[in-house]
Amino acid sequence: MKASQMGRNKEINEQMKDERKEQIFSSALKLFARRGLSATKISDIATAAGFSQGLIYHYFKSKDEIYIQLIKMAFAKLNSAAEQLDALDLPPLQKIKLAYQSLMQGLVTNEDASLTHLLIATAAASDSVPVKAKQIIQEQYFFPYQVMTRIIKAGQKTGSINNKNPKELALLFWSTIRGLSIYRAVHTESFLVPDVDIILEMFKHKEK
Amino acid sequence: MKASQMGRNKEINEQMKDERKEQIFSSALKLFARRGLSATKISDIATAAGFSQGLIYHYFKSKDEIYIQLIKMAFAKLNSAAEQLDALDLPPLQKIKLAYQSLMQGLVTNEDASLTHLLIATAAASDSVPVKAKQIIQEQYFFPYQVMTRIIKAGQKTGSINNKNPKELALLFWSTIRGLSIYRAVHTESFLVPDVDIILEMFKHKEK
DNA sequence: GTCTATATCCAGATAGAC
DNA sequence: GTCTATCTGGATATAGAC
């Protein structure tokens, strides 16, 4: 067999392996988000992904490893979105508006996005996640808060945002988002997206 | 032995039993809220409460039973508070203000209150709680939303609250509370209570 | 009422056939 | 690569001594 062929086969195999892993991640996300790490059985994940329990171990070393990877991916998504928002050339209040709208858009149209937020919320609140996951959470959790605080401070400088404590405002923004994420992940049917203008009232500068 | 004595002993025994149960509930609340149902071992609860693992079964039939009782108690507390708020003779906006302030007060000064909120949030979001717990959640979860919606509608009638969709406003109120509860339960140190006036801006009627 | 010892079960992980 | 069978550990719940 020629070397070039071997290279191609290897590539194809790699690709198939990645697809399998994707399947596993997708099933595991649903289960971990809604049932938690320890209540989710490897066999649940395998069944949901459509193959046998033993095969999981061909792709992952352990249940914890899948969980840790998912946490990594969840934060990567959220924080790169925050980064992009930060970099946009928009007035601060518009950034907040856009952030809220895209987050809600994700919650409503994209079940995975919704579950990703739920996973982050539960993982962050949990005392029983693997050490490695805990480390990732500690390193990454505050990034969106920092971005939001920065945006708020910018808005206060130009006068479009009121002079409340920027950390309190940022905390409120993300608390609201997390609260809504949880609600939405659970009450899929009865979720109606609160009008962005209500949210913005918390931030707007008020004339005396 | 006289009947009156037996009665008294029985009473005292009952009381001691209740105290023991209280100990168990208190330890279990911490653990269930922070680690979840299935990651919490009976032996963890026993150790935290200061006695042997086997003894738990003298007071409770199973781990699930403890959990179910705790869920019941958590909703009883929250919903009776909501009921009291509803009954108060205050203008709607003042009720909202008071609700937020007492909730935050609880979060900051009372660790159990904080954990109770966390327990409700995680239990409601979870797919792996005992059926009985799920039933209780379904029956009781929406009560605070209903109360808040009613208060908001009252305020809209008198003109003190703006004319946004009352269900959206109620959803926002409780989402914010839940988000803050989670944050507080986890980041005990860095929690600063957002000024109530920021919250109220979402509800206030704005002059054109 | 409380403890220790143990039966039982179940889930994670491995081994080995195909 | 995929499956079935199995090992192993650990946790719930029970039994029985004190």
Side-chain angles (χ1 to χ4, degrees):
Chain A
M1 197 189 268
K2 281 187 259 173
S4 64
Q5 272 184 353
M6 270 194 59
R8 197 157 68 237
N9 285 343
K10 214 174 177 181
E11 232 170 67
I12 290 169
N13 283 345
E14 282 295 311
Q15 209 177 314
M16 280 191 58
K17 204 166 180 177
D18 284 354
E19 268 171 38
R20 280 296 203 205
K21 283 193 171 191
E22 271 312 312
Q23 274 182 284
I24 295 172
F25 281 137
S26 160
S27 308
L29 173 59
K30 277 191 236 319
L31 290 160
F32 285 146
R34 294 301 308 275
R35 308 180 60 84
L37 172 58
S38 75
T40 300
K41 291 174 280 187
I42 283 279
S43 62
D44 293 339
I45 300 173
T47 306
F51 44 72
S52 80
Q53 175 255 116
L55 187 53
I56 299 273
Y57 293 93
H58 200 79
Y59 297 97
F60 295 94
K61 206 175 88 286
S62 68
K63 189 168 82 163
D64 279 11
E65 199 208 328
I66 305 175
Y67 188 82
I68 293 164
Q69 294 290 344
L70 274 174
I71 293 288
K72 241 183 232 172
M73 291 157 62
F75 276 108
K77 256 185 251 171
L78 178 61
N79 288 354
S80 89
E83 210 159 35
Q84 280 175 36
L85 181 77
D86 203 18
L88 281 179
D89 188 22
L90 276 177
L93 211 53
Q94 292 305 307
K95 281 194 189 177
I96 296 175
K97 184 174 185 175
L98 183 65
Y100 178 78
Q101 285 175 325
S102 5
L103 284 162
M104 289 304 117
Q105 173 83 0
L107 285 193
V108 170
T109 62
N110 181 346
E111 178 162 32
D112 270 19
S114 173
L115 291 170
T116 298
H117 284 287
L118 186 57
L119 184 74
I120 289 179
T122 54
S126 170
D127 234 1
S128 62
V129 297
V131 204
K132 270 205 175 178
K134 218 171 182 56
Q135 282 169 358
I136 296 166
I137 294 168
Q138 269 170 5
E139 288 161 20
Q140 313 240 16
Y141 189 79
F142 287 105
F143 183 70
Y145 289 87
Q146 288 159 356
V147 169
M148 189 50 66
T149 305
R150 213 177 311 147
I151 293 173
I152 290 164
K153 281 182 181 164
Q156 289 176 332
K157 225 170 221 162
T158 64
S160 63
I161 291 180
N162 64 52
N163 279 311
K164 298 286 177 185
N165 182 336
K167 288 195 172 178
E168 291 179 20
L169 288 168
L171 175 59
L172 272 176
F173 179 83
W174 285 113
S175 297
T176 308
I177 296 296
R178 295 220 194 282
L180 288 171
S181 302
I182 294 176
Y183 187 95
R184 144 70 190 172
V186 181
H187 302 94
T188 316
E189 352 65 39
S190 71
F191 182 58
L192 83 168
V193 179
D195 188 341
V196 63
D197 289 338
I198 308 174
I199 301 283
L200 290 181
E201 286 302 332
M202 291 197 289
F203 298 92
K204 275 185 191 155
H205 187 83
K206 306 294 180 321
E207 308 301 329
K208 294 283 151 62
Chain B
M1 197 187 266
K2 279 186 259 171
S4 64
Q5 272 185 355
M6 269 192 63
R8 197 156 68 238
N9 284 343
K10 215 175 178 182
E11 229 171 70
I12 290 168
N13 283 345
E14 281 297 310
Q15 208 177 316
M16 278 191 61
K17 204 166 181 179
D18 284 355
E19 268 171 40
R20 279 298 202 206
K21 283 193 171 190
E22 270 313 310
Q23 273 183 285
I24 295 172
F25 280 137
S26 160
S27 308
L29 173 60
K30 278 190 235 319
L31 289 160
F32 285 145
R34 295 301 310 273
R35 308 180 60 85
L37 172 59
S38 76
T40 301
K41 290 173 282 185
I42 284 279
S43 63
D44 292 339
I45 300 174
T47 306
F51 44 72
S52 81
Q53 173 256 118
L55 187 53
I56 299 271
Y57 293 92
H58 200 79
Y59 296 98
F60 295 95
K61 206 176 89 284
S62 69
K63 188 169 82 162
D64 279 9
E65 200 208 324
I66 305 176
Y67 188 82
I68 293 165
Q69 293 291 344
L70 274 175
I71 293 289
K72 240 182 235 174
M73 290 157 62
F75 276 108
K77 255 185 250 171
L78 178 61
N79 288 356
S80 88
E83 210 160 34
Q84 281 175 35
L85 181 76
D86 203 18
L88 281 181
D89 187 22
L90 276 178
L93 211 54
Q94 291 307 307
K95 281 192 190 177
I96 296 174
K97 183 173 184 174
L98 183 65
Y100 178 79
Q101 286 176 325
S102 5
L103 284 162
M104 289 304 117
Q105 174 82 0
L107 285 193
V108 171
T109 61
N110 182 346
E111 178 162 33
D112 270 19
S114 173
L115 291 170
T116 298
H117 284 285
L118 186 58
L119 184 74
I120 290 180
T122 55
S126 171
D127 234 0
S128 62
V129 296
V131 203
K132 272 207 173 176
K134 220 174 180 51
Q135 283 169 358
I136 297 166
I137 294 167
Q138 268 170 6
E139 288 162 19
Q140 313 241 14
Y141 189 80
F142 287 106
F143 183 71
Y145 289 88
Q146 288 160 356
V147 169
M148 189 50 67
T149 305
R150 212 177 312 147
I151 292 172
I152 290 164
K153 281 182 180 163
Q156 289 176 331
K157 223 169 222 163
T158 64
S160 63
I161 292 180
N162 64 52
N163 279 312
K164 298 287 176 185
N165 182 334
K167 286 193 176 180
E168 291 179 20
L169 287 169
L171 176 58
L172 273 176
F173 179 83
W174 285 112
S175 297
T176 308
I177 296 296
R178 295 219 196 282
L180 289 172
S181 302
I182 294 175
Y183 187 95
R184 144 69 191 175
V186 181
H187 301 96
T188 316
E189 352 62 41
S190 71
F191 182 58
L192 83 169
V193 180
D195 188 340
V196 62
D197 290 337
I198 308 174
I199 302 283
L200 290 181
E201 286 303 331
M202 292 197 289
F203 298 92
K204 275 186 191 156
H205 186 82
K206 305 293 177 326
E207 307 301 329
K208 293 282 149 63

